[in-house]
Amino acid sequence: MKIAMVASVRHGLREPFAGGLERHTADLARRLREAGHAVTVFASGQSDPELGVEAICAADSELDLSPAARRDVSMLSKRFMVEHDAYLGLMLRLAESDFDVIHDNSLHYLPLSMSRSVPAPVVKVLHTPPTPWLESALRYRAPTSVLVSVSRSNAVRWSTPVDRVVHNGIDLGEFAPSGGEIRPRAIWSGRIVPEKGAAVALRAAHLADMDLVLAGPISDEGYFRREVEPLLDERRRHLGHLRAAALVAELAASAVSLVTPLWDEPYGLVVVESLACGTPVAGIARGALPELLTADTGVMAEAADPQELARCLVEASKLDRAACRQRACSLADGRRMAAQYVEVYEAAAA
């Protein structure tokens, strides 16, 4: 099939990936090409050229700004217009294209709201909980469009029924146990922003008297300085923003992974990345976590209580690592994910 893949332009598709959405989009494009499909990825010009990206804007929009930056109205307006112009221009181009299907992985309303103007069906993947912009776009979408959610828990939050749930997959060859020494420590990975709960994870590690490494970009400098940095010490360290190979090595060498969403995370790629490395998860039972974890692969607290999370840390670190790997293989195989999307494309195109 000839597939147009519309990426989010908030961050480029490049290592080290800014977040799970960027990694997912790049991996899916590669998997589809491996299966023989022609994929054109429309993304920021700051993406990896090896992905065969056609740039729809020169630079990342970075609209997921810190609270301080959001208060700068001129900055927000500029970033908003970067995205608006990029997607408006793209949809006008696609109106005269011969793609079989348009896979919309963006977080923007225009690809869906303009789906009536393009000849190919739009497969819109819901990577977020409901937003006013996208809820509005749903009302005006083409009848040929298809809605996919990345989890059942996210699907039920939307006002419009979704057509299918396809769990995000990963490269199980890349994310795998190392066979090396397992250190008696925890790991937390992700963007360092308030809703990801890095500070809660650090407090839990202190209470559990456990070493902890943080891996991820500092996306909110103010939050990091106020809430996270004061909790760092010789036993709890920030490793920085790691490329995939380095992240895999840290995950595989850790006794337990902490996942602390303070919002209804639609999926949480770090969960299956950890499990694929054989690392059990201690987390907060929000969003998709209860859908992804089983009793033999994770232990969850009902709320963001550091004391309860400390208990979960200790219990989860004792779980069977082989069971964790098996759970990831059954839930998040990237090849199977790509095949499921092809089924969606073929049904939509027919």
Side-chain angles (χ1 to χ4, degrees), residues 246-260:
L247 176 61
V248 169
E250 297 294 343
L251 285 170
S254 299
V256 60
S257 180
L258 256 175
V259 183
T260 52

Side-chain angles (χ1 to χ4, degrees), residues 25 46 91 136 138 189 199 215 263 279 289 298 342:
T25 302
Q46 291 180 306
M91 294 307 291
S136 175
L138 286 174
S189 66
W263 69 304
T279 306
L289 251 69
V342 171

Side-chain angles (χ1 to χ4, degrees), residues 109-337:
Y109 62 92
L110 275 178
L112 186 60
S113 60
M114 293 182 68
S115 57
R116 292 176 182 270
S117 68
V118 294
V122 172
V123 174
K124 174 60 186 172
V125 184
L126 302 173
H127 289 283
T128 67
T131 65
W133 294 98
L134 281 175
E135 285 278 14
S136 175
L138 286 174
R139 297 201 299 270
Y140 300 104
R141 65 191 175 103
T144 56
S145 61
V146 178
L147 297 181
V148 176
S149 175
V150 295
S151 66
R152 292 186 296 275
S153 63
N154 189 54
V156 299
R157 293 187 174 93
W158 287 83
S159 62
T160 302
V162 304
D163 299 293
R164 183 158 178 179
V165 171
V166 178
H167 287 126
N168 289 339
I170 58 174
D171 185 338
L172 293 171
E174 180 180 30
F175 286 87
S178 66
E181 177 188 1
I182 307 300
R183 302 173 192 170
R185 69 167 192 202
I187 184 170
W188 181 100
S189 66
R191 291 185 302 118
I192 298 181
V193 291
E195 61 268 23
K196 297 285 187 178
V200 176
L202 280 162
R203 293 189 186 97
H206 277 278
L207 289 169
D209 193 27
M210 186 177 289
D211 292 4
L212 172 71
V213 290
L214 302 176
I218 300 172
S219 299
D220 188 324
E221 188 72 33
Y223 169 71
F224 178 79
R225 298 301 175 201
R226 290 190 311 272
E227 304 290 338
V228 176
E229 194 172 43
L231 297 172
L232 299 176
D233 56 28
E234 291 183 358
R235 297 180 59 192
R236 291 100 192 167
R237 298 175 293 118
H238 179 220
L239 302 178
H241 193 186
L242 304 181
R243 296 176 70 89
L247 176 61
V248 169
E250 297 294 343
L251 285 170
S254 299
V256 60
S257 180
L258 256 175
V259 183
T260 52
L262 304 184
W263 69 304
D264 293 323
E265 189 99 52
Y267 189 76
L269 211 59
V270 65
V271 176
V272 292
E273 289 173 350
S274 299
L275 296 179
C277 293
T279 306
V281 173
I284 300 171
R286 288 197 64 171
L289 251 69
E291 186 175 332
L292 302 178
L293 293 175
T294 56
D296 58 348
T297 60
V299 182
M300 290 177 285
E302 290 301 317
D305 178 358
Q307 189 73 55
E308 181 67 7
L309 273 171
R311 179 190 64 80
C312 294
L313 264 178
V314 175
E315 290 186 13
S317 66
K318 302 173 184 177
L319 295 174
D320 180 50
R321 298 181 72 88
C324 295
R325 173 67 181 179
Q326 182 55 45
R327 175 61 175 166
C329 291
S330 65
L331 181 70
D333 186 330
R335 290 188 178 88
R336 184 170 60 248
M337 171 192 66

